[in-house]
Amino acid sequence: MPRVYATPQQLAAWTGKPAPPDAERLLARASEDLDDALIRAVYLTDDAGMPTDPDIVAAFRDAVCAQVEYQLATGDDGTGAAGRWDAVSIGPVSLSGRKEGPQTPGEVDLAPRAVRALTRAGLLPGVIW
């Protein structure tokens, strides 16, 4: 079962707005983003792979909420596709102005606020602002 690091209620508290109808799916995708970004991070976990240190738990929660907030603000639906183009049309196909995103296949487009939460918790020590 995939790990999800925040609830719709926590997302609503983070954004100050009601959670969107598909909040659980967005939170699950954002949690996967964190797992990918933190593939080499070291922290204590329980048997289910969830962090156990309260500060790390809070950082994961905040980072996941920040990631969803970022995706909603950029028009992304959690797939990563919306943030790639300035404009997209379906018929007859028209794509315009490719935006910068992750530079390598394994790189994750993390929200700046998510990066800051993870950096403060010591999970992304190599990131320099």
Side-chain angles (χ1 to χ4, degrees):
M1 176 162 230
R3 294 182 294 270
V4 179
Y5 302 112
T7 66
Q9 294 78 18
Q10 292 167 328
L11 177 62
W14 174 269
T15 63
K17 301 174 187 174
D22 59 345
E24 289 182 8
R25 181 183 65 79
L26 294 171
L27 290 165
R29 295 251 172 106
S31 295
E32 289 174 1
D33 289 347
L34 255 63
D35 284 343
D36 291 343
L38 297 174
I39 198 81
R40 291 190 175 103
V42 177
Y43 52 92
L44 296 176
T45 64
D46 62 16
D47 291 339
M50 296 294 283
T52 57
D53 180 283
D55 292 334
I56 302 298
V57 170
F60 271 58
R61 178 201 61 226
D62 292 350
V64 165
C65 290
Q67 184 71 3
V68 171
E69 180 182 47
Y70 174 74
Q71 290 172 338
L72 291 172
T74 61
D76 195 340
D77 60 1
T79 64
R84 300 285 182 201
W85 302 96
D86 287 337
V88 176
S89 299
I90 296 298
V93 177
S94 170
L95 303 171
S96 172
R98 186 166 173 82
K99 294 182 179 179
E100 279 197 39
Q103 302 301 309
T104 62
E107 198 174 330
V108 178
D109 183 19
L110 279 184
R113 292 180 76 190
V115 170
R116 289 194 299 268
L118 297 171
T119 301
R120 281 192 303 271
L123 295 167
L124 293 176
V127 175
I128 299 173
W129 286 91

